[in-house]
Amino acid sequence: MFISDPLRTVVAVAVYWTAIALGGSALLADPTNPLVALPVVGGGVVVAHAARTGRLVELGYAVGTMWLAVLALSVATGVLDAVVAPDTVMAPLVNYPGIAAVGTVGLFGVLLIAYVGFIRRSATGAATAAD
């Protein structure tokens, strides 16, 4: 089955932007929080850059890295709850506005750092292959 390149790009852009918006705002309890603009608008800018420069593969790896950070944060919170305070119930991280804000900015930072890192790795690999 043949799928045209523009359609493939549109689908990739939609999937990556959705994944960034959902993962980046995972720590926000209120979907109307102004901080949700960071993963939504910032994610749109990063996705637009990747689509325009042909770096959707690198963006895919960066999105996966961001989701690994979400998973690590979730597991670390569960372990902390079970080990440090086993007799008490720890409130979810979204109930702490400071942690939610730092986490949202941090997750977006993970995405940006991973994206730049994968672009550099791709460029280094292309330069090595050309030699």
Side-chain angles (χ1 to χ4, degrees):
M1 184 168 124
F2 176 74
I3 300 175
S4 67
D5 282 342
L7 179 61
R8 200 175 308 174
T9 300
V10 167
V11 170
V13 164
V15 168
Y16 290 151
W17 196 1
T18 302
I20 293 168
L22 290 175
S25 61
L27 295 175
L28 298 175
D30 183 14
T32 61
N33 187 327
L35 198 54
V36 82
L38 180 64
V40 173
V41 176
V45 169
V46 174
V47 170
H49 177 268
R52 192 170 306 138
T53 60
R55 300 283 188 185
L56 287 173
V57 172
E58 290 84 354
L59 179 63
Y61 289 132
V63 170
T65 303
M66 183 191 72
W67 273 97
L68 282 174
V70 171
L71 176 64
L73 186 61
S74 176
V75 169
T77 302
V79 168
L80 184 68
D81 186 25
V83 173
V84 174
D87 296 334
T88 60
V89 176
M90 195 168 120
L93 291 179
V94 296
N95 290 344
Y96 302 105
I99 293 175
V102 169
T104 300
V105 173
L107 287 172
F108 191 72
V110 166
L111 174 77
L112 289 178
I113 291 168
Y115 180 54
V116 169
F118 284 116
I119 288 174
R120 287 184 180 175
R121 180 178 177 193
S122 175
T124 303
T128 304
D131 289 339

